[in-house]
Amino acid sequence: MRLLHTMLRVGNLDESLKFYCDILGMKLLRQKDYPGGKFTLAFVGYGDEADHSVIELTYNWGVDSYNLGDAYGHIALGVDDIYSTCEQIRAAGGKISREPGPMKHGSTVIAFVEDPDGYKVELIQLGTQGSAEASKQLAVNS
């Protein structure tokens, strides 16, 4: 098994595509209208669906907002330079909801941005997350 995609319902597909593609640098992989069901699906990601997990943006025609609830957490993206990435996102009009820095009770360097619907996207500085550090330590001790 492998993870194929995560689906998010969006209130404005054009604004969501602008965020995920123009601000976060994903590519629109495919998009299709379903007139019988009155919805549109758009798949975005950093690589082809055959090899990468992607995000499915679902726009239900005529629905412009959703109650996000409190069970959903976030999508996480690994980045090489979290500080410059946040500056680029800010300069492109993206909303930084948590500035970069170490997470509470840990050393992983994170930041959060929000998409137009308020979904959280966590940015993680690669090489600072606990699992990577544990893997490095395990390799050193082997």
Side-chain angles (χ1 to χ4, degrees):
M1 286 190 229
R2 86 175 173 88
L3 183 63
L4 298 177
H5 66 259
T6 297
M7 186 273 270
L8 300 175
R9 289 183 177 89
V10 300
N12 183 316
L13 185 57
D14 291 334
E15 287 297 315
S16 293
L17 287 172
K18 180 179 175 184
F19 175 78
Y20 287 97
C21 296
D22 297 346
I23 294 176
L24 293 185
M26 295 182 186
K27 303 274 188 262
L28 175 60
L29 303 170
R30 61 188 169 103
Q31 180 175 332
K32 184 174 180 182
D33 292 334
Y34 293 84
K38 297 184 180 178
F39 66 93
T40 301
L41 301 182
F43 291 80
V44 298
Y46 292 112
D48 187 87
E49 291 175 79
D51 303 312
H52 295 83
S53 299
V54 300
I55 298 174
E56 172 189 334
L57 302 174
T58 299
Y59 172 64
N60 292 298
W61 301 354
V63 180
D64 63 1
S65 66
Y66 291 93
N67 178 352
L68 300 185
D70 59 4
Y72 173 81
H74 59 267
I75 296 166
L77 302 176
V79 300
D80 290 324
D81 183 342
I82 199 165
Y83 297 96
S84 69
T85 299
C86 284
E87 287 310 313
Q88 291 168 2
I89 289 171
R90 185 180 282 107
K95 178 182 177 184
I96 308 294
S97 58
R98 187 218 192 255
E99 293 295 329
M103 62 180 275
K104 290 182 181 178
H105 314 294
S107 60
T108 304
V109 179
I110 65 171
F112 278 92
V113 300
E114 288 184 23
D115 83 353
D117 290 282
Y119 291 113
K120 303 248 189 279
V121 177
E122 180 182 24
L123 305 176
I124 300 174
Q125 175 75 41
L126 293 172
T128 67
Q129 65 270 50
S131 59
E133 293 301 316
S135 297
K136 287 179 194 173
Q137 189 62 34
L138 183 60
V140 168
N141 292 333
S142 297

